[in-house]
């Protein structure tokens, strides 16, 4: 199965100049825990509700703090025409639960999550990826920053 067959489409993009309060409100309305961050048609980062809590609130930053100050600037992504099995393996290796999905023109076309994959026919592979993701530490650990 290809990523494009099971990803979430119509992803809202945050701007690095938006406040974390505004992005948190949008996340609440969308019932989403992550948003890609774009600047002038380029994907420049990702922001999660956890980034807001740990890199923002826990460090004493206020609600008017800019997204760029708490986002993860390193963007890992996959392509919509990639095989799900390959992407799941990468998610496990990277210890991430979600990846933005780009087309081959490097335009954002969606986001893929373990939840998307677990509800598709790839449930067993999603379980393996979750096992790898759930190991302590890793490059994307909040305590590593």
């Amino acid at each position: 199965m290809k990523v494009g067959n099971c990803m979430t489409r119509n992803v809202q993009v945050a701007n690095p100049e938006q406040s974390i309060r505004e992005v948190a409100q949008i996340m609440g309305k969308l019932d989403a825990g992550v948003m890609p961050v774009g600047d002038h048609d380029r994907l420049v980062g990702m922001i999660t509700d956890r980034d807001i809590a740990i890199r923002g609130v826990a460090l004493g930053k206020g609600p008017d703090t800019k997204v760029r100050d708490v986002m993860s600037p390193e963007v890992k992504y996959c392509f919509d025409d990639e095989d799900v099995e390959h992407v799941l393996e990468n998610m496990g290796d990277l210890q991430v639960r979600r990846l933005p999905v780009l087309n081959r023109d490097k335009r954002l076309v969606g986001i893929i999550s373990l939840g998307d994959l677990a509800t598709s026919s790839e449930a067993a592979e999603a379980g393996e990826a979750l096992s790898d993701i759930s190991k302590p530490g890793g490059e994307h650990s909040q305590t590593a920053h």
Side-chain angles (χ1 to χ4, degrees):
M1 178 183 294
K2 301 293 182 187
V3 170
N5 295 332
C6 55
M7 69 183 185
T8 299
R9 298 178 186 277
N10 301 323
V11 177
Q12 188 153 353
V13 179
N15 182 290
E17 294 302 314
Q18 282 181 283
S19 71
I20 59 175
R21 174 192 352 236
E22 185 179 353
V23 170
Q25 290 170 341
I26 294 167
M27 286 179 175
K29 288 177 189 169
L30 296 173
D31 192 25
V34 64
M35 285 181 67
V37 181
D39 190 19
H40 295 99
D41 202 29
R42 287 185 41 104
L43 194 58
V44 296
M46 296 288 284
I47 187 164
T48 66
D49 48 7
R50 186 167 167 87
D51 291 330
I52 293 168
I54 304 299
R55 295 181 186 159
V57 176
L59 295 179
K61 295 180 180 179
D64 294 324
T65 299
K66 301 294 183 198
V67 165
R68 77 169 61 259
D69 296 331
V70 299
M71 72 180 197
S72 297
E74 211 174 89
V75 182
K76 305 294 185 187
Y77 58 87
C78 63
F79 291 106
D80 60 349
D81 62 356
E82 280 187 78
D83 287 325
V84 167
E85 295 84 9
H86 180 252
V87 172
L88 276 166
E89 186 177 314
N90 285 344
M91 291 171 87
D93 291 345
L94 295 169
Q95 292 188 299
V96 296
R97 297 172 191 266
R98 303 168 194 93
L99 285 173
V101 181
L102 307 181
N103 63 20
R104 290 295 171 171
D105 293 326
K106 294 215 174 172
R107 300 282 182 229
L108 182 69
V109 294
I111 195 160
I112 189 92
S113 71
L114 276 182
D116 295 329
L117 297 167
T119 58
S120 73
S121 62
E122 308 300 328
E125 289 85 353
E128 288 177 34
L130 181 58
S131 176
D132 290 337
I133 290 165
S134 299
K135 292 178 183 168
E139 179 181 349
H140 297 283
S141 170
Q142 291 292 329
T143 57
H145 297 281

